[in-house]
Amino acid sequence: MAFQREWVVFVVLLVLILSIAFYFGHSSDKVLLNYIVHEDMNDLSLRSDVECKGFGYYIDSLNQPNAPYYYIITMGPKNTGGFYLKVQNVSFDDDENVLVTVQEIFPDTQDNVTDALTCPSVVIEFSHAPRSIIIQNQEGVTYPYLG
């Protein structure tokens, strides 16, 4: 009789432990946030051309179900070439709060640069909209949302 009772207790505990492990292992059915960095804008089919709205970022999407979200980061209009933006790091936590760090590259005073109006930009394509996003340069200056 004691053996039977121990066996029942063992089975109940085993089921309880496996249930808890399954719950915590599969407690969320959310889709993982994925991203792609586009430094060459020519391979994108955005709803509109990349606009130079100023120093900051704005969001574009294709207005279709399950379409990606494009975060366009721009240094604003520049009078010459030689300016570039490069994504240094993209990190996010389990709650999809995203931190993007970009490197601003400036031309050297002795560089031969194009004498034309430019808009250094980079695009990050996310599989879906993150919960929140902070975009900053290598010095920690935050890029504002331009709407």
Side-chain angles (χ1 to χ4, degrees):
M1 190 70 120
F3 176 75
Q4 214 172 12
R5 178 189 266 173
E6 291 174 358
W7 177 249
V8 170
V9 170
F10 173 76
V11 170
V12 169
L13 285 174
L14 181 63
V15 169
L16 182 63
I17 290 169
L18 290 175
S19 298
I20 291 171
F22 180 80
Y23 175 78
F24 285 108
H26 301 290
S27 63
S28 174
D29 57 352
K30 67 180 179 181
V31 178
L32 291 177
L33 181 65
N34 295 311
Y35 69 92
I36 301 170
V37 175
H38 298 279
E39 292 181 355
D40 181 8
M41 301 331 154
N42 295 328
D43 61 349
L44 291 175
S45 57
L46 295 176
R47 187 166 37 100
S48 61
D49 290 333
V50 173
E51 299 175 38
C52 199
K53 296 182 175 186
F55 176 84
Y57 74 96
Y58 63 98
I59 305 166
D60 197 353
S61 72
L62 302 176
N63 291 332
Q64 299 171 357
N66 301 318
Y69 285 77
Y70 298 96
Y71 284 69
I72 298 94
I73 307 163
T74 174
M75 289 175 70
K78 303 294 179 195
N79 291 326
T80 67
F83 295 88
Y84 299 96
L85 270 179
K86 183 174 184 168
V87 174
Q88 281 186 322
N89 189 40
V90 178
S91 61
F92 46 91
D93 60 20
D94 291 338
D95 292 328
E96 296 184 355
N97 299 305
V98 178
L99 174 63
V100 177
T101 305
V102 294
Q103 178 183 8
E104 297 173 344
I105 301 169
F106 299 90
D108 190 65
T109 55
Q110 298 181 13
D111 285 349
N112 233 354
V113 294
T114 305
D115 195 21
L117 189 62
T118 62
C119 188
S121 304
V122 67
V123 176
I124 303 176
E125 175 185 340
F126 288 100
S127 56
H128 57 279
R131 176 173 291 186
S132 69
I133 189 164
I134 296 173
I135 301 171
Q136 63 185 19
N137 68 11
Q138 66 268 29
E139 282 85 35
V141 175
T142 301
Y143 279 65
Y145 177 63
L146 299 174

